[in-house]
């Protein structure tokens, strides 16, 4: 269950600070002179792909997508087929062991990938679509329409999501994957809508939107062509978040027995395992892999979201190189203590003779000095020493 | 009442009694294999009691210089060489870049304080300004009581012309000008010897700017600190600074007394800069502007970086990097320097290029 | 004043809408409590009982939905939530009152722990970006990506069944009688440890991440640099300036998550056989116990709304910019 | 709403009508913003009773300190927000738009350039898209070669040559000056008669500013566009504008031809403004000791809005709003000091205004 | 086990017997008459209140053991019962137990339809004559005889002044071996009744623990935290008994409860008795019992579908000893005879359509779904394509089952003390309603007047011969028409641990239904003795 939802209505001045952590997205266009502005402008293309987290996430996701597509063909067994190898631990015949009916757990997981992915993506797409339509419209039109849509979104946020899903899912005649996805979408769009609304609200006041208006663009075009593309990252991260949420919801629903246990997905595998007390019976292989797959998929989605966040908010970007190489160079990035790395350090530590006299603490009034002599000695250096690094650079 | 002493000679030369010497400071942005070399061997000296103006167009590295000199450059800034020598009242020199964390913390704010461009962002929005002034004091005067620190904060506020009952205000309750003054009060609380001000008035309108500038001048006269004043508004600098250093693309290209810079620029860039803004009074002079745009610091080649935009560039400029030297003009103040090959005929000749004379515009 | 009026109106409308949805959703669900009861008992309650159960639950009269809706509001204004079917004839308010403290206690403490630890970790990670601390992120992400019940069941298998360190189910030692004795309170803590730990582990990542990102954002604000320039100690800068500002949005989402505590963590309560409102809601849904369902929804809605008000106020207290004064 | 002008690409560069004809006229313009929250019926008096005319081929500068309502006027003229009172007349006819159609027609003639070239271009679209949209809106569905030609011609007009180099670029790939040029090109795509330039250079670097000003000047001269030039840089108004209007707290306080307004300011506020601007040529003529800040626009001071800061203010100034009084050739100032009322304040002679402000400013 | 000491340790005199129930935390409601009250849900009502007679469901032919009633005599039509109360019984508050209490308790049910679960609209006059209670019924109650015996008796002196529907039970004044000590939502503690009329129970303390679900209870049973309870434990031998083979036991009672695969007799393909028969022959019942039911639900071997041993006495002579077995060839023969053909592997019905059907059940009911999977395999052997369709429980229960919106679906039957309920639930024409209307039993819409008549006769008959004759006919039709398919028996199952107490019913000595939630609890509790 998501808990960090907020229905606090952003008062305008709060919009920026409060938005940041929720979405992880901060408009990077600070007011810090031209240099910084330039740095904070639209990042070059493919920067996203350079983010190692995002790449790792995309690779994992692509793997699961592939399995989702080809799963039924590569699964070694029919996931529902019984065999005489009942409740066998993992072996070469059954990579993840077998169930109480002798079904191959590996095949169930491979085949079940599709169900998970479909539900995740259908829910993600639907919820995002609803969220975009309602959020952006509310943010742009303002006034009464905005208030109404906001209340709608907030009501959906106030109502606890999982119970609502349980109730709605309970009403549907059948609980195929897609219906679960629809239910998740119906209950899960509100958060995205809120974030988008807030963002649209701030975009609406941007000059380029004003400029488009002053140029006579139609409202519809302003929303779709001028505003929406600027929300891509937020929409994408909302989408990814919803997919993750939908996957977890599906699995939880399956686990508490709502949802179609006849359709193979990781949740039904877990449900079966739990209903048959796999853990109590020591059949960990039945329970553990599906959970790890979910965790892996969830992690992949989170990593992608990290990537998006960092893409949108350059401040979050990791320091460029991994910690190891920073350590190797002796750099510790810190606020307020810029690292000093001298490529040609050796000759610079000598104390210039004519400065030596200054290094003695002559004035006791400043206690700080007492603690510093060694350092001061090290730092005070030959005035005459010639610039050493210039040649190396040129 | 002016900051500038009109006669150049009467000013103390910076080298005589320097309070801050920046030597060969080099700064990179980026920790990876392909960093941007933003500052390359920049040297600058600030004399005691002097107001040093640092001008140059946006993005040329003025702020970087100020932050690097105080080691406040945010990641991914990296200082790759040079030293920043601070000379205390007792004459002891310390290299700020070599101080350990503890000593650096102790040195900060007492020796050298800094005022940033946006006062809005320089004050934490959640604390009352009194507290923000006082905690800087308390950090360096451990024995001081809170009440005393507050009293000192009140005193400082009064000094900058804000009523002490504003101590209990939050930053957002103050206007931009007041916030900027609060920052100045905060910076002066420990009576530092050096005050670095990075575009302290850019966000304000002219009337407010005038007030702040006057405030600084008055305080300097009273307290006798030195100031590095950063802006790209040259006309403002000419008014308030004793000496001006003009930066271009991460390097200092001219360093001279302010009236000298204004009336007798020696570097083509300084000269062009002075012809880029219209005068408010007097004859409408011709404005030439500077053609082209500043180079990308990430892709700097050799030679003079200004050559593409320079009216006096010739083939030597692409090959030789100019050095800061005394201008090749007779009767010039010997302490002024400029980095232009037109003033380095010997070097040009030595490198096998045709040595060209200083054009009249740069020798006036 | 207009602001508060608008907020007030917003709360009222949200409340009305939520209550209305809460009213209608159970009623448009197929089935009714009696059949649900019979279905659940799979033959253990004879089918002839249906008629008598219908009379028992008062489902034998036909009233229009609209009339029921009006009656519901009338009852609500009298503070009467009706009588639960599942626990007939206990009033819904009693049923909820019995379950609520457990949920609030356990989930509340877990949430507070999770928030505190997560925020502290996030502060550290955000402050020391680019160091080993960053590697904590993927680990915490993993635990938040794992389905909660999976984590909890494995925890039970390992720590309760195999190692026997913690009890596998219940809220306290069943041989004890609830009272303010050391023994009982100790038992409550002992029984709550594993559920609380699993909640903390699976929810901490959100707090870490939120705080970390905010720290990173705030760290590059000028006032943090100014604080460093002032020569304040590392602690003072990190906590007093960076974290103090970075925490603002955390606090408001914390207040909100406190609201959702009341909703309980259904799955936790199922897995750990913990008595609480989440499980109660689950039971109510399964049993088509409309009054109970509505009652619980109402309580949750009110709690979330109150939490929102608290969040509004908390933000106001922590962020002077929102306060209107001089 | 009838238009004599046929919009289209075939419109000749030299339009009909003589330079100096009134194109756009603001009559008793008034804008009050409702204040959010707190139920009170307070309004921000952003613009009050503003009258002026924009003439073909002329530049009117609007100067004044931050928050005095300059941008609001521009937005009102662009009809981006509804008026609270007064009217806008285009060629003598009420230009109030009723529907989208008439709005489009209006914006085809009155275009606006925003202050911030970094914010006014959508970062997700390349130059081509930005300009194509504008062309399509105002000139109909151009395609293929025709469109290409129009694009190149537009970029040419703003001196972004060769066009190919810029046409596919995204805003972040352009420098500030180039971006502002694109923004201007977008406005020119409509072949407007009026250009509302809201601080078009304030976010730009000194060296780039001039280029934009020269470009605008060129447009004025070549296309005879009427330009409203908003700035608070009074020197650039002198350089660029034919007439200058000074605003203070939502009201026009002085207007006249630029040269005389800047050289011989009549209104005490204009005097303060002019003397506050840094001017290296005239270090002595600076205003000193000016204190105080712009008044609240929610509860503006009664009478002359400058009275709390004015060293000459009398009871009259505090009670009655001064009308614009003719103070010379085509010059007006809203100051009682120029009326012939017996209780009028006595202003210091123009040249010595500064000292008056200096000596009495503290008390104000 | 974390709380092993609470269950396992301690002196003989203070050992606690913990009964675990998977119904979640409870509200304090001790009313033994209100469905859903804590006392019924957890079952402690049966330790405090007692019934008239003890019936051994495992052996229906065994005469009931007198309990609160010395005897109950019925007239031949089973419309009148004369109850003789036991002498010397006292309520736990010291008051005497009398015939009036019995009459009151029965009258209470008659007067309050919401409490009258067992004999709705069937009570006639209830009176006390000569210290005996005379209960009249409006219809013959031969098949419901046992229900009367099982009624819990409450004290008139307490209940007369209360509204029995929402009375929370007060201090639980009963005649049973235990009295209430404490109630908490998680656990209810009982201690022996000092005034008990029988032998003083040897269980020093009895505690009913609430768990939130089967898994929780299973864990508790395996750790010994709960010592008596009943839940479906998959692979109970490994999961449960193997944890402590000496002390952990699972026993199954008897009774006539079964699970039935209802076949929709009015839609294809089950409108053809031949196909129904063939399917019946193709299903591997042993596999179903073993795999889907883990052997918890005993296999039914008799072709009549009657569970054994409780059904032994009822099996018609014609089918005595005939056992169900998988006979694919036979089944195919039946189909061939009925005009079915095969298209390759696929079965084609006489109309030329391929045979396929859906097996519908609520998702999450894993034992049913597993059974359906095996049934579909059987169908596949015949060439019929059967798919398992898991649907939402509520839909299944509210739309699918009553309206006949299914082709085949598993459902339970009522237990009862004779085979009547089972057969009636499957094939009683009296319950027939057309498809689309709400059916109450006979979900498969089997209609055969003979059978309907026979079932009615069985209920109303006054002699055993008449009854057996009727039952013979019903069995014959069941075997030949296959209106539905009984797949396994659904006896009362219980798990218990003998770590603290012994004396529970065992497979060898099945003296009572072994579950704690029923009137037999009083009997079992009286037989328990502490271990050394
Ligand atoms: N994080 C960064 N990564 C890469 N380059 C940077 C970074 N921050 C600044 N720069 C570059 O360093 C150069 C110098 O920036 P700096 O802020 O010092 O300029 P400045 O002279 O102070 O400009 P301004 O007048 O706009 O304040 C600029 O070209 C800028 O693009
Ligand atoms: N949408 C608005 N709602 C409320 N007040 C507004 C709004 N827009 C502007 N104002 C107020 O109107 C006044 C005039 O604002 P305007 O932007 O026109 O000033 P300006 O002269 O353009 O200032 P600057 O030089 O800083 O751009 C200001 O006090 C401002 O706060
Ligand atoms: Mg800067
Ligand atoms: Mg403006």
């Amino acid at each position: 269950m998501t808990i960090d939802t907020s229905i606090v209505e952003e008062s305008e001045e709060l919009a920026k600070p409060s938005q940041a952590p929720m979405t992880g997205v901060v408009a990077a266009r600070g007011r810090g002179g031209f240099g910084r502005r330039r740095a904070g402008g639209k990042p070059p293309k493919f920067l996203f792909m350079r983010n190692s987290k995002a790449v790792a996430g995309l690779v994992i996701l692509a793997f699961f997508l592939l399995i989702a597509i080809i799963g039924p063909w590569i699964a070694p067994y029919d996931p529902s087929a019984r065999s005489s190898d009942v409740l066998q631990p993992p072996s070469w015949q059954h990579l993840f062991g077998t169930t109480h009916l002798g079904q191959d757990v590996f095949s169930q997981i491979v085949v079940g990938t599709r169900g998970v992915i479909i539900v995740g993506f259908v829910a993600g797409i639907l919820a995002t679509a609803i969220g975009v339509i309602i959020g952006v419209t509310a943010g742009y039109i303002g006034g009464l329409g905005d208030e109404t849509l906001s209340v709608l979104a907030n009501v959906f946020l106030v109502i606890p999501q999982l119970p609502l899903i349980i109730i709605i899912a309970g009403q549907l005649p059948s609980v195929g994957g897609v219906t679960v996805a629809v239910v998740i979408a119906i209950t899960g769009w509100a958060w995205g809508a809120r974030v988008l609304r807030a963002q649209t609200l701030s975009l609406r006041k941007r000059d380029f939107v004003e400029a488009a208006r002053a140029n006579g663009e139609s409202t519809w075009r302003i929303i779709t062509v001028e505003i929406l593309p600027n929300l891509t990252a937020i929409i994408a991260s909302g989408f990814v978040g919803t997919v993750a949420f939908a996957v977890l919801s599906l699995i939880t629903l399956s686990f508490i027995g709502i949802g179609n246990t006849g359709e193979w997905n990781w949740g039904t595998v877990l449900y079966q395992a739990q209903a048959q007390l796999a853990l109590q019976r020591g059949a960990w292989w039945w329970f553990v892999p599906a959970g790890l797959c979910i965790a892996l998929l969830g992690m992949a989605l989170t990593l992608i979201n990290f990537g998006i966040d960092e893409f949108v908010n350059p401040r979050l970007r990791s320091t460029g190189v991994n910690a190891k190489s920073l350590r190797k160079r002796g750099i510790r990035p810190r606020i307020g203590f810029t690292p000093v790395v001298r490529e040609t350090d050796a000759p610079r530590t000598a104390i210039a003779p004519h400065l030596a006299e200054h290094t003695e603490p002559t004035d006791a009034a400043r206690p700080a000095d007492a603690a510093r002599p060694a350092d001061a000695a090290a730092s005070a250096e030959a005035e005459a020493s010639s610039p050493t690094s210039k040649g190396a650079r040129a | 009442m002016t900051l500038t002493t009109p006669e150049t000679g009467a000013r103390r030369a910076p080298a005589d009694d320097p309070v801050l010497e920046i030597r060969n400071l080099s700064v990179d942005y980026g920790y990876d294999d392909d960093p941007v070399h933003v500052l390359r061997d920049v040297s600058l000296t600030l004399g005691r009691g002097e107001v040093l103006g640092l001008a140059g167009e946006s993005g040329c590295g003025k702020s970087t210089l100020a932050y690097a000199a105080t080691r406040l450059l945010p990641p991914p800034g990296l200082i790759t060489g040079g030293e920043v020598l601070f000379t205390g009242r007792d004459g002891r020199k310390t290299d700020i870049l070599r101080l350990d964390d503890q000593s650096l913390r102790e040195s900060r704010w007492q020796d050298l304080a800094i005022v940033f461009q946006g006062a809005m962002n320089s004050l934490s929005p959640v604390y009352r300004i009194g507290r923000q002034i006082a905690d800087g004091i308390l950090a360096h005067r451990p024995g001081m009581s809170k009440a005393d620190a507050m009293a000192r904060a009140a005193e400082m506020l009064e000094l900058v012309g804000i009523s002490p009952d504003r101590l209990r205000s939050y930053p957002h309750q103050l206007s931009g000008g007041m916030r900027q003054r609060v920052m100045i009060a905060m910076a002066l609380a420990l009576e530092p010897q050096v005050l670095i001000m990075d575009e302290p008035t850019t966000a304000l309108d002219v009337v407010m700017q005038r007030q702040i500038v006057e405030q600084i001048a008055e305080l300097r006269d009273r307290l006798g600190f030195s100031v590095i004043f950063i802006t790209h508004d040259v006309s403002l600098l000419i008014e308030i600074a004793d000496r001006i250093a003009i930066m271009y693309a991460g390097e200092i290209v001219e360093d001279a007394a302010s009236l000298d810079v204004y009336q007798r620029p020696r570097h083509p860039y300084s000269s062009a800069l002075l012809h880029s803004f219209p005068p408010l009074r007097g004859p409408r002079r011709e404005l030439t502007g500077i053609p082209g745009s500043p180079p990308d610091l990430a892709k700097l080649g050799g030679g003079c970086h200004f050559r593409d935009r320079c009216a006096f560039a010739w083939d030597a400029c692409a090959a030789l990097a100019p050095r800061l030297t005394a201008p090749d003009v007779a009767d010039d103040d010997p302490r002024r320097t400029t980095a232009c090959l037109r003033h380095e005929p010997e070097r040009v000749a030595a490198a096998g290029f045709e040595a060209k004379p200083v054009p009249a515009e740069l020798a006036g | 004043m207009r602001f508060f009026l608008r907020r007030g109106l917003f709360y009222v409308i949200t409340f009305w809408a939520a209550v209305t949805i809460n009213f209608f959703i159970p009623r448009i669900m197929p089935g009714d409590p009696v059949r649900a009861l019979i279905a659940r008992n799979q033959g253990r309650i004879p089918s002839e009982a249906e008629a008598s159960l219908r009379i028992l639950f008062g489902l034998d009269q036909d009233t229009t939905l609209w009339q029921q809706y009006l009656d519901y509001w009338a009852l609500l204004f009298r503070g009467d939530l009706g009588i639960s079917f599942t626990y007939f004839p206990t009033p819904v308010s009693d049923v909820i009152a019995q379950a609520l403290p457990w949920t609030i206690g356990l989930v509340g403490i877990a949430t507070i722990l999770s928030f505190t630890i997560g925020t502290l970790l996030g502060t550290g990670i955000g402050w020391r970006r680019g160091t080993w601390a960053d590697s904590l992120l993927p680990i915490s992400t993993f635990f938040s990506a794992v389905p909660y019940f999976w984590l909890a069941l494995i925890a039970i298998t390992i720590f309760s069944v195999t190692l026997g360190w913690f009890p596998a189910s219940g809220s306290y030692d069943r041989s004890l009688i609830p009272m303010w004795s050391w023994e009982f309170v100790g038992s409550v803590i002992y029984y709550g440890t594993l559920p609380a730990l699993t909640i903390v582990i699976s929810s901490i990542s959100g707090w870490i991440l939120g705080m970390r990102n905010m720290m990173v954002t705030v760290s590059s604000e000028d006032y943090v640099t100014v604080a460093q320039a002032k020569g304040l100690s590392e602690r003072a800068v990190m906590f007093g300036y960076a974290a103090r500002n970075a925490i603002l949005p955390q606090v408001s989402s914390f207040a909100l998550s406190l609201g959702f505590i009341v909703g309980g963590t259904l799955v936790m309560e199922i897995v750990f056989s913990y008595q609480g409102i989440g499980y109660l809601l689950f039971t109510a849904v399964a049993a088509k116990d409309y009054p109970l369902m509505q009652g619980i929804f109402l309580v949750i809605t009110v709690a979330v709304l109150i939490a929102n008000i608290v969040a509004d106020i908390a933000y106001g207290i922590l962020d002077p910019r929102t306060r209107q004064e001089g | 709403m009838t238009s004599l002008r046929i919009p289209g690409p075939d419109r000749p560069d030299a339009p009909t009508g003589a330079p100096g004809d009134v194109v756009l006229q603001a009559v008793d313009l008034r804008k009050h913003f409702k204040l959010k929250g707190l139920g009170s019926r307070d309004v921000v008096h952003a613009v009050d009773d503003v009258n002026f005319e924009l003439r073909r081929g002329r530049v009117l500068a609007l100067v004044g300190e931050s928050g005095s309502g300059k941008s609001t006027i521009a937005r009102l003229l662009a009809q981006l927000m509804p008026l609270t009172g007064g009217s806008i007349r285009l060629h003598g006819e009420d230009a109030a738009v009723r529907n989208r159609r008439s709005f489009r027609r209006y914006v085809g003639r009155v275009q606006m350039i925003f202050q911030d070239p970094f914010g006014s271009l959508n970062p997700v679209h390349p130059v081509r898209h930005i300009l194509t949209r504008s062309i399509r809106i105002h000139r109909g569905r151009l395609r293929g070669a025709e469109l290409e030609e129009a694009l190149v011609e537009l970029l040419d007009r703003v001196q972004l040559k060769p066009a190919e180099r810029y046409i596919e670029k995204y805003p972040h790939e352009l420098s500030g000056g180039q971006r502002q040029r694109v923004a201007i090109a977008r406005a020119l795509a409509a072949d407007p008669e009026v250009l509302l330039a809201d601080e078009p250079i304030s976010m730009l670097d000194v060296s780039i500013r001039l280029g934009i000003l020269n470009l605008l000047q060129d447009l004025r001269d070549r296309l005879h566009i009427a330009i409203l030039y908003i700035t608070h840089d009074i020197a650039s108004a002198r350089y660029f504008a034919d007439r200058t209007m000074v605003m203070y707290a939502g009201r026009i306080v002085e207007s006249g031809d630029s040269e005389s307004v800047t050289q011989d300011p009549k209104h005490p506020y204009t005097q303060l403004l002019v003397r506050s601007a840094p001017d290296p040529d005239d270090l002595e003529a600076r205003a000193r000791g000016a204190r105080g800040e712009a008044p609240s626009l929610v509860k503006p001071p009664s009478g002359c809005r400058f009275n709390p800061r004015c060293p000459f203010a009398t009871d009259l100034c505090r009670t009655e709003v001064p009308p614009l009084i003719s103070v010379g050739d085509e010059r007006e100032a809203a100051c009682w000091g120029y009326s012939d009322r017996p209780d009028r304040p006595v202003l210091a002679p123009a040249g010595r205004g500064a000292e008056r402000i200096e000596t009495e400013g503290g008390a104000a | 086990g974390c709380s092993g000491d609470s269950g396992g340790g301690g002196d003989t005199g203070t050992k606690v017997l913990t009964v675990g129930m998977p119904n979640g935390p409870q509200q304090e409601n001790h009313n033994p008459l209100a469905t859903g009250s804590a006392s019924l849900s957890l079952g402690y009502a049966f330790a405090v209140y007692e019934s008239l007679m003890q019936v051994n469901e495992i052996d229906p032919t065994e005469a009931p053991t007198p309990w609160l009633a010395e005897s109950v005599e019925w007239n031949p039509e089973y419309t009148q019962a004369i109850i003789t109360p036991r002498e010397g019984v006292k309520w736990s508050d010291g008051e005497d137990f009398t015939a009036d209490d019995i009459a009151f308790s029965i009258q209470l049910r008659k007067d309050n339809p919401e409490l009258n679960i067992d004999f709705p609209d069937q009570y006639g006059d209830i009176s006390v004559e000569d210290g005996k209670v005379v209960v009249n019924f409006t219809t013959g109650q031969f098949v419901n005889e046992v229900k009367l015996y099982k009624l819990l008796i409450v004290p008139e002196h307490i209940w007369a002044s209360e509204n029995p529907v929402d009375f929370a039970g007060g201090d639980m004044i009963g005649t049973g071996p235990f009295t209430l000590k404490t109630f908490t939502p998680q656990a209810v503690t009982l201690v022996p009744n000092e005034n008990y009329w029988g032998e003083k129970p040897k269980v020093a303390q009895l505690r009913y623990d609430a768990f939130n679900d089967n898994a929780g209870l299973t864990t508790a049973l395996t750790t010994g935290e709960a010592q008596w309870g009943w839940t479906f434990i998959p692979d109970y031998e490994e999961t449960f008994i193997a944890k402590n083979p000496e002390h952990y036991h699972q026993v199954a009672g008897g009774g006539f409860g079964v699970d039935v695969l209802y076949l929709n007799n009015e839609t294809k393909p089950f409108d053809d008795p031949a196909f129904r028969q063939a399917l019946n022959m193709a299903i591997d019942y042993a596999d179903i019992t073993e795999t889907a039911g883990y052997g918890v639900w005993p296999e039914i071997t008799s072709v009549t579908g009657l569970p054994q041993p409780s059904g032994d006495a009822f099996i018609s002579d014609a089918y005595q000893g005939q056992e169900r077995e998988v006979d694919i060839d036979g089944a195919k023969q039946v189909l061939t005879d009925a005009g079915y053909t095969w298209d390759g592997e696929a079965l084609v019905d006489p109309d030329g359509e391929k045979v396929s059907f859906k097996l519908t059940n609520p998702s999450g009911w894993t034992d049913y779904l597993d059974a359906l999977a095996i049934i579909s395999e059987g169908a596949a052997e015949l060439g019929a394509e059967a798919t398992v369709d898991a649907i939402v429980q509520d839909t299944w229960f509210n739309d699918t089952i009553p309206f006949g919106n299914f082709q085949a679906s598993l459902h339970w039957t009522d237990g009862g003390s004779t085979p009547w309920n089972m057969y009636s639930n499957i094939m009683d024409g009296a319950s027939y309603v057309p498809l689309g209307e709400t059916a109450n039993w006979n979900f498969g819409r089997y209609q055969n007047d003979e059978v309907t008549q026979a079932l009615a006769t069985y209920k109303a008959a006054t002699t055993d011969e008449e009854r057996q004759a009727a039952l013979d006919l019903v069995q014959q039709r069941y075997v030949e028409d296959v209106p539905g398919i009984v797949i396994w028996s659904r006896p009362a199952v219980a798990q218990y641990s003998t770590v603290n107490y012994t004396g529970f019913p065992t497979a060898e000595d099945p003296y009572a239904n072994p579950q704690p939630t029923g009137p037999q609890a009083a009997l079992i509790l009286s037989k328990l003795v502490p271990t050394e």
Side-chain angles (χ1 to χ4, degrees), chain A residues 276, chain E residues 232 292-293 297 365-372 410 488 490:
Chain A
Q276 303 298 336
Chain E
F232 182 86
W297 310 133
W365 294 15
T366 43
D367 51 346
Y368 274 16
L369 292 174
D370 286 348
L372 293 181
L410 271 175
W488 60 37
R490 195 67 180 279

Side-chain angles (χ1 to χ4, degrees), chain B residues 1 207 210-211 214-215 218, chain D residues 272 276 286-292 309 354-364:
Chain B
M1 287 303 267
V207 180
R210 169 69 47 206
Q211 292 180 24
E214 269 170 32
Q215 196 96 61
E218 189 193 322
Chain D
L272 174 67
S276 294
R286 289 177 298 204
R288 295 261 158 63
R291 281 287 149 92
R309 298 171 75 185
E355 272 119 87
R356 280 298 306 267
I357 293 177
E358 180 187 349
T359 47
E360 296 181 23

